[in-house]
Amino acid sequence: ETGVTQTPRHLVMGMTNKKSLKCEQHLGHNAMYWYKQSAKKPLELMFVYNFKEQTENNSVPSRFSPECPNSSHLFLHLHTLQPEDSALYLCASSLQLLTSGSYEQYFGPGTRLTVT
Amino acid sequence: SQQGEEDPQALSIQEGENATMNCSYKTSINNLQWYRQNSGRGLVHLILIRSNEREKHSGRLRVTLDTSKKSSSLLITASRAADTASYFCATDAASGGSNYKLTFGKGTLLTVNP
């Protein structure tokens, strides 16, 4: 148990569906992240929020829409996804980003997404 | 690319043996971190080593960093079957402006046979 929870743990959705992934951290961190993990590829950073402000969007398609209402919660809204978007989506949190570098990140268990 | 590359891609050893995994990267870093992932689960942070440090220990883990060679190694001593997992190095560097971000490698899959 890392103090970061994600729901749902598994999600199957059609290409025309709209769904949301939720992440919650109980660690008092101010930075939150979404990553995508596909088979045989490195972990890909998607979005970063620091004190609720988006500080990184790693050229992610607009069919992925993040939302960070406060420092403890992070959502990833999904719509009109493609089969190649099937992957493990991981949320992480850390102490706030600094101009001098990053702290260690704490990951949730992930949401296994399958797009049919 | 700043991405770290782990070597080997896969490693299979017997319980009790030591396991060594290496990570190489291309540009200057602020720190380097090692993570572990059990199959289909989230990553767990193991060790963070700063660019001005050469070696760190945590229990059965030993990490070295050679910034002149842009490489790091993770040594797990007296391995156990429960150490079976994928191990990732992540390099922390400025991504533009004042922001830093971690960039992960593809990982080393370690299998420890009982």
Side-chain angles (χ1 to χ4, degrees):
Chain A
E1 186 62 50
T2 62
V4 181
T5 59
Q6 289 187 245
T7 54
R9 294 293 308 280
H10 300 271
L11 178 62
V12 178
M13 59 186 289
M15 290 190 284
T16 58
N17 291 160
K18 289 184 180 181
K19 296 285 184 184
S20 295
L21 309 185
K22 179 182 175 182
C23 175
E24 185 173 358
Q25 59 95 1
H26 311 274
L27 301 168
H29 292 162
N30 289 303
M32 297 189 77
Y33 313 78
W34 279 118
Y35 288 90
K36 175 183 179 183
Q37 188 175 36
S38 306
K40 301 191 192 309
K41 292 177 70 175
L43 203 62
E44 299 173 60
L45 179 65
M46 300 175 72
F47 301 103
V48 181
Y49 280 81
N50 194 25
F51 288 99
K52 302 189 297 179
E53 299 298 320
Q54 188 179 115
T55 59
E56 183 96 16
N57 177 339
N58 207 20
S59 302
V60 180
S62 60
R63 56 186 185 269
F64 295 90
S65 175
E67 178 190 359
C68 188
N70 54 61
S71 292
S72 298
H73 294 86
L74 185 64
F75 295 88
L76 189 62
H77 305 299
L78 315 171
H79 63 97
T80 58
L81 294 191
Q82 305 299 310
E84 60 264 28
D85 297 321
S86 298
L88 182 68
Y89 289 84
L90 293 163
C91 172
S93 71
S94 71
L95 292 174
Q96 68 270 28
L97 297 178
L98 303 172
T99 55
S100 57
S102 303
Y103 291 99
E104 56 266 34
Q105 295 182 14
Y106 292 76
F107 284 79
T111 294
R112 173 67 62 185
L113 174 67
T114 303
V115 181
T116 61
Chain B
S1 165
Q2 178 56 55
Q3 178 182 317
E5 289 243 354
E6 291 91 345
D7 170 61
Q9 292 186 351
L11 180 61
S12 181
I13 60 174
Q14 295 300 123
E15 225 172 7
E17 293 180 341
N18 294 343
T20 299
M21 288 157 271
N22 302 297
C23 172
S24 59
Y25 56 92
K26 295 194 171 85
T27 62
S28 295
I29 60 172
N30 175 63
N31 67 57
L32 186 145
Q33 303 179 28
W34 284 92
Y35 289 80
R36 160 200 170 119
Q37 184 181 34
N38 288 83
S39 179
R41 307 282 297 180
L43 280 71
V44 176
H45 179 263
L46 297 176
I47 285 187
L48 182 155
I49 185 165
R50 302 192 187 286
S51 59
N52 61 354
E53 297 176 309
R54 292 296 167 257
E55 189 170 312
K56 276 188 98 166
H57 297 256
S58 176
R60 293 183 296 113
L61 306 181
R62 173 179 168 248
V63 167
T64 62
L65 178 64
D66 187 335
T67 53
S68 66
K69 295 181 179 177
K70 292 187 170 55
S71 67
S72 174
S73 68
L74 170 67
L75 168 67
I76 303 175
T77 60
S79 64
R80 305 166 182 167
D83 294 328
T84 295
S86 291
Y87 292 82
F88 297 88
C89 72
T91 50
D92 177 50
S95 66
S98 59
N99 293 329
Y100 279 76
K101 69 176 184 180
L102 287 182
T103 304
F104 287 80
K106 291 184 181 179
T108 293
L109 176 59
L110 173 66
T111 303
V112 182
N113 302 298

